[in-house]
Amino acid sequence: VQLVESGGGLVQAGGSLRLSCAASGFTFEDYTIGWFRQAPGKGREGVSCIGNSDGSTNYADSVKGRFTISSDSAKNTVYLQMNSLKPEDTAVYYCAADRDDGMGILFLSLFPPPPYWGQGTQVTVSS
């Protein structure tokens, strides 16, 4: 199993970025894939996830209305479109995957943490 993130960078507050997570080594449609982030000095928190068996999506309250998760099964890739970015969105963003057993928003709880993780991509939002 391999997850490779891309798309991070430096952006001004109010700007947008799109993160990509390219997945390989498993049957894409059988897995939930999501995004987590970790800011300096803070714990890792769930941001958003998508169940690729039915396309169901979930979001943390802090990003609802600003972030949109989507997936492209032809490319085995999950995207996170981030709009109206705020300085508090600054973090390393990680892509993670687990078998889709209908866990829904519990996937973001990290209890238990997903077994498969990417290396992370830095997102920095300047004020």
Side-chain angles (χ1 to χ4, degrees):
V1 174
Q2 188 174 23
L3 301 169
V4 179
E5 303 100 332
S6 61
L10 172 65
V11 64
Q12 288 188 331
S16 299
L17 282 174
R18 189 177 80 157
L19 305 183
S20 299
C21 173
S24 62
F26 58 88
T27 302
F28 189 75
E29 292 78 9
D30 290 344
Y31 278 71
T32 292
I33 297 178
W35 292 93
F36 296 80
R37 65 187 181 186
Q38 188 164 15
K42 295 187 176 181
R44 195 166 294 189
E45 65 170 345
V47 175
S48 181
C49 63
I50 184 166
N52 287 310
S53 64
D54 62 1
S56 58
T57 59
N58 289 281
Y59 297 91
D61 287 343
S62 59
V63 305
K64 280 181 182 177
R66 300 189 299 123
F67 291 10
T68 302
I69 193 169
S70 61
S71 68
D72 184 339
S73 59
K75 297 182 178 180
N76 281 8
T77 299
V78 170
Y79 304 97
L80 186 68
Q81 178 67 44
M82 305 186 295
N83 298 330
S84 302
L85 282 161
K86 305 175 181 180
E88 51 263 44
D89 294 317
T90 295
V92 177
Y93 283 70
Y94 298 90
C95 175
D98 198 354
R99 292 193 66 86
D100 187 352
D101 62 359
M103 64 182 73
I105 198 167
L106 292 178
F107 179 90
L108 300 179
S109 71
L110 288 168
F111 293 106
Y116 307 113
W117 291 83
Q119 80 288 351
T121 186
Q122 177 70 47
V123 171
T124 303
V125 184
S126 63
S127 57

